[in-house]
Each structure stands twice: as C-alpha cells, then as structure tokens.
Amino acid sequence: MRRKNKRIMVTGGAGFLGSHLCERLLEQNKEVLCIDNFYTGHKQNVIHLMDHPGFELIRHDITFPLYVEIDEIYNLACPASPIQYQRDPVQTTKTNVHGAINMLGLAKRTGAKILQASTSEVYGDPMIHPQPEAYWGNVNPIGLRSCYDEGKRCAETIFFDYHRQHGVPVKVMRIFNTYGPRMHPNDGRVVSNFIVQALQGKKITVFGNGNQTRSFCYVDDLIGGMMRLMNTNDTITGPINIGNPGEFTIRQLAELVLEITGSRSTVEYLPLPQDDPMQRRPDISQAKRLLDWQPTIQLREGLERTVAYFDRLLDDQPTSVPMKSALLVD
C-alpha cells in the first residue's frame, strides 16, 4: 500500500541538480530520501534540509545495490562535467551502467516509477541541428568522453529494456546545458568557470575560436521540466529533451558574463578538446506538446542570479578558488 505522502529517492541528491530537486520535492510535502556518495556532490548543498522532517540522507554508491522502500526514483547520480567524469572514467561508466541496473532492479521490486537523468551528450557532435529525440547521434565510442556519452546511451538502453521486458514504468529525459546556484566553482563547466574567472579578474579561457554554440537552461526551469515528466502518465516514457532552445556562441556567453560582472578580464583562446561538439541546441517540441513545458528564465536573468551566488561564495572563502581549464560541455 502506498504511503499518504510519496517517498521519493533522489540519487546524486547532494549534487547541483539533485539538491534543487530535493528542495522542490520537500516544498510539495514529499518524503525525500537523498542518496549520494559525495564523489562530486557536497553535503553543504543539502545542509539546510537536514532538519526537515521529510528529509533523509544516506551515503551510498549506486554501483552497489540498495534495499529501501520507495515510491519513485530520480536517478541523477553521475559526474556531469568533463573534469569530473574523466578523472575516473571506469567508475563513470560503472555509475551509468551498473547504477542504472541497480536502480531499475529496485524499481522492479518496489513497483516504483523511475526517471533517468540522461544528457544531450548522447547526440555527440550532432549532424542535425537542433537535435530532436529521434536523432541517433554522432558519438565516438572510444574517445576521452565516451565513459560519459556512451555510459548514458547504455543506461537509456537498459531503461527501455526493463520497461519492455519487466513492465517497469520509466521516464528518460535528456538534459541540455544547465546552470545556476550550487554549481561547483571548479567543476570545469563553462558557465561557472567564466563567472569565477571574471570575478577573480583572471583570463576567460575559451576553447577553439569561440564560435561553438550552446543552449543554457536555468536550474529552476530544468527541475520544473523534470518533475513534470515524472508526473505524467506512464505512457509518456521519453526520451524527452529538457533544455532552453536559445542558442549562444561561447564568445557571446563570455561577453555577457564580463558585462554582468563588470570584470576587466580578457579572453584567452586555447585549443579545442577532443570530440567537443560544435553545436548544441534542443528541439523541445515534445516537451511543449506532451508536458506543456518550456523554459521561462532567459540567459541574462539566470546569469545575474548565478553571478550573485558565486559572488557570495567567493566572498566567504579566505582564498581564491583554484581554477582548472574550462571545458565547454554540460
């Protein structure tokens, strides 16, 4: 018998996206079980939730089975930036594949609905623009990014096989570049790196000529789309793109960050990393039609909120945050 208030498990719940999701679920009077091994997540992201009566935190690596009773699972656990997922590529693949198998096994046993946080990286360096869900992608299966790209593609495969073979109710969303408060200042994502570099008066590191394009979705919009997908009827499985279709070059992003921060930093151009996609923009037609969802927060507004967050974060730290080179992907 289901509980009056759903008990919802969020893997990767102490991460950037996971912590925002936990917060939003608690606002809706759900019981939240936050699972994280703290490889890239941080307890500080959820410390303000620890006294909430509906919140529980368990330190656990989902590459190992977990035996709990839950009603829904949001599977967000996985390093999501190149610096993080290339640090231990074998573990990244295990998290994507073994983690998906373990969470699907839990969903099968408990009858829980389960959502997989997939990624726009399944499209690789796309030959179709913008990218619709029907596009199969252009991915290097043996490159430096493959642990993440192919790991997420394999996770999608396993999700749909469990759905077809065992009747597990699944949801798959493909997340496009997302930004906002609680991003780690040194995780290698382009928005956080540009902001921190600008606030510290360091050179803005742009890879290639800066003409690569990305679409940037503010975290509040993304979480809204994620929850809307989970709460649709079970016939809507996805995959569904969730992101902001506004398209900007990396050079435009750098210029906007410099304008908002008022920084005098200059831009430094560096060689393009292996397999870095040249274009990335979601076709969100399905999200509009099936979920009645589209983003509402535009890039300038979202960046202003994110700059304010990092400004406070850096002011609270006794020394400047050491920066690594910025890569241009999720």
Side-chain angles (χ1 to χ4, degrees):
M1 178 179 293
R2 295 298 184 193
R3 286 165 282 272
K4 181 179 179 181
N5 293 332
K6 285 185 178 179
R7 190 175 193 221
I8 301 177
M9 189 171 83
V10 180
T11 72
F16 164 47
L17 295 181
S19 62
H20 283 276
L21 176 60
C22 288
E23 196 172 65
R24 190 83 67 89
L25 290 168
L26 289 171
E27 289 172 358
Q28 295 187 356
N29 297 317
K30 303 295 193 296
E31 295 180 18
V32 175
L33 178 60
C34 174
I35 307 296
D36 208 297
N37 67 351
F38 300 109
Y39 180 69
T40 57
H42 298 273
K43 192 173 183 180
Q44 189 63 34
N45 287 337
V46 294
I47 196 71
H48 63 295
L49 305 177
M50 297 297 289
D51 292 332
H52 194 292
F55 183 77
E56 182 180 358
L57 173 64
I58 296 179
R59 183 169 191 151
H60 180 81
D61 184 337
I62 66 165
T63 61
F64 298 93
L66 182 63
Y67 301 99
V68 293
E69 302 303 318
I70 36 76
D71 300 305
E72 292 179 354
I73 304 168
Y74 287 84
N75 187 36
L76 276 61
C78 186
S81 76
I83 285 176
Q84 295 167 340
Y85 65 64
Q86 291 176 15
R87 184 181 300 131
D88 190 343
V90 172
Q91 182 63 25
T92 298
T93 301
K94 286 182 176 180
T95 301
N96 280 318
V97 180
H98 293 183
I101 291 171
N102 287 331
M103 293 305 101
L104 285 161
L106 176 61
K108 178 186 174 185
R109 181 182 67 80
T110 60
K113 185 189 302 185
I114 180 169
L115 181 146
Q116 167 68 5
S118 190
T119 172
S120 60
E121 297 301 318
V122 301
Y123 298 121
D125 189 4
M127 302 178 72
I128 294 177
H129 193 74
Q131 293 80 59
E133 292 88 348
Y135 177 52
W136 289 357
N138 177 37
V139 178
N140 177 0
I142 60 171
L144 295 175
R145 303 159 58 95
S146 304
C147 58
Y148 186 71
D149 301 3
E150 294 287 34
K152 289 288 190 180
R153 287 164 67 94
C154 186
E156 287 194 14
T157 299
I158 296 167
F159 261 69
F160 281 98
D161 284 341
Y162 262 79
H163 176 64
R164 287 185 288 257
Q165 186 171 339
H166 301 298
V168 174
V170 302
K171 308 282 185 178
V172 174
M173 65 177 294
R174 291 175 177 167
I175 298 173
F176 282 68
N177 292 59
T178 305
Y179 69 99
R182 297 187 201 143
M183 297 182 79
H184 193 277
N186 195 23
D187 72 355
R189 303 191 210 201
V190 64
V191 172
S192 54
N193 273 23
F194 281 7
I195 291 174
V196 173
Q197 288 169 339
L199 290 173
Q200 293 181 341
K202 298 182 177 181
K203 290 182 178 180
I204 305 294
T205 51
V206 171
F207 288 79
N209 59 16
N211 290 329
Q212 309 94 315
T213 66
R214 294 294 185 272
S215 299
F216 302 100
C217 187
Y218 190 67
V219 60
D220 288 357
D221 281 333
L222 187 284
I223 297 301
M226 181 182 294
M227 294 175 66
R228 190 161 292 198
L229 175 57
M230 176 65 96
N231 292 328
T232 56
N233 67 66
D234 292 350
T235 63
I236 300 175
T237 60
I240 291 184
N241 292 335
I242 299 292
N244 193 319
E247 187 175 11
F248 298 85
T249 68
I250 297 302
R251 184 184 291 118
Q252 287 175 319
L253 175 67
E255 291 170 351
L256 188 53
V257 167
L258 289 171
E259 178 186 339
I260 292 171
T261 59
S263 174
R264 295 184 178 180
S265 296
T266 58
V267 175
E268 178 182 25
Y269 294 91
L270 300 175
L272 197 65
Q274 179 187 358
D275 299 327
D276 195 66
M278 295 302 296
Q279 292 180 308
R280 186 59 56 73
R281 177 189 173 195
D283 179 335
I284 62 168
S285 301
Q286 284 203 63
K288 289 180 177 179
R289 178 171 56 87
L290 298 175
L291 308 181
D292 191 26
W293 175 89
Q294 61 182 332
T296 60
I297 300 171
Q298 299 308 309
L299 183 59
R300 175 178 286 275
E301 180 184 355
L303 285 177
E304 288 172 349
R305 297 183 189 183
T306 309
V307 166
Y309 166 79
F310 278 110
D311 203 15
R312 293 191 300 270
L313 181 69
L314 296 178
D315 282 346
D316 290 341
Q317 296 181 352
T319 57
S320 62
V321 179
M323 294 301 300
K324 298 179 182 178
S325 297
L327 298 177
L328 303 181
V329 294
D330 291 346

